[in-house]
């Protein structure tokens, strides 16, 4: 990737920042805002069915940084699908996911 790739990444980051800062524009569609200013937003506080969003924001934790995190997410989704299709029980699926994901992340 040349210089154009860096410019595209910068443009994507600027867009993501703008989206998060202007959460008022899309929050009413059901999106949970991720910008810190949402914690004190009168819009959130005054929207009865969404007033709990500010409390939810205080509990959110960011994904840990790990080189194989997305691989683990895909692995979990694949196992979850097996459970949803009834090909294995819920507890069996969770145990299998935990075993495989922990093995993957420890490599």
């Amino acid at each position: 990737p040349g210089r154009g790739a860096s410019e595209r990444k910068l443009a994507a980051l600027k867009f993501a920042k703008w989206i998060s800062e202007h959460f008022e524009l899309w929050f009413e569609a059901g999106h949970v805002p991720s910008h810190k200013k949402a914690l004190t937003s009168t819009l959130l506080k005054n929207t009865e069915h969404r007033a709990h969003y500010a409390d939810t924001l205080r509990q959110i934790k960011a994904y840990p940084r790990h080189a194989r995190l997305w691989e683990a997410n895909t692995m979990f989704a694949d196992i979850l699908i097996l459970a949803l299709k009834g090909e294995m029980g819920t507890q069996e699926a969770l145990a299998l996911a935990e075993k495989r994901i922990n093995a993957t992340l420890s490599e």
Side-chain angles (χ1 to χ4, degrees), residues 10-69:
L10 182 58
L13 289 171
K14 285 181 180 179
F15 179 70
K17 183 177 187 254
W18 185 89
I19 287 288
S20 73
E21 289 173 345
H22 295 87
F23 67 89
E24 298 93 346
L25 299 173
W26 50 267
F27 127 91
E28 290 186 25
H31 297 272
V32 177
S34 59
H35 198 277
K36 286 184 180 182
K37 76 177 185 179
L39 292 169
T40 57
S41 167
T42 54
L43 175 64
L44 264 70
K45 290 177 183 175
N46 294 334
T47 305
E48 186 178 326
H49 64 286
R50 301 252 168 68
H52 66 281
Y53 279 10
D55 290 332
T56 301
L57 285 172
R58 289 183 181 89
Q59 300 172 27
I60 292 174
K61 302 252 190 275
Y63 263 141
R65 291 183 181 212
H66 194 287
R68 299 186 73 186
L69 181 62

Side-chain angles (χ1 to χ4, degrees), residues 86-98:
E87 294 178 20
M88 68 172 52
T90 305
Q91 294 303 317
E92 181 185 5
L94 289 172
L96 179 61
E98 180 179 24

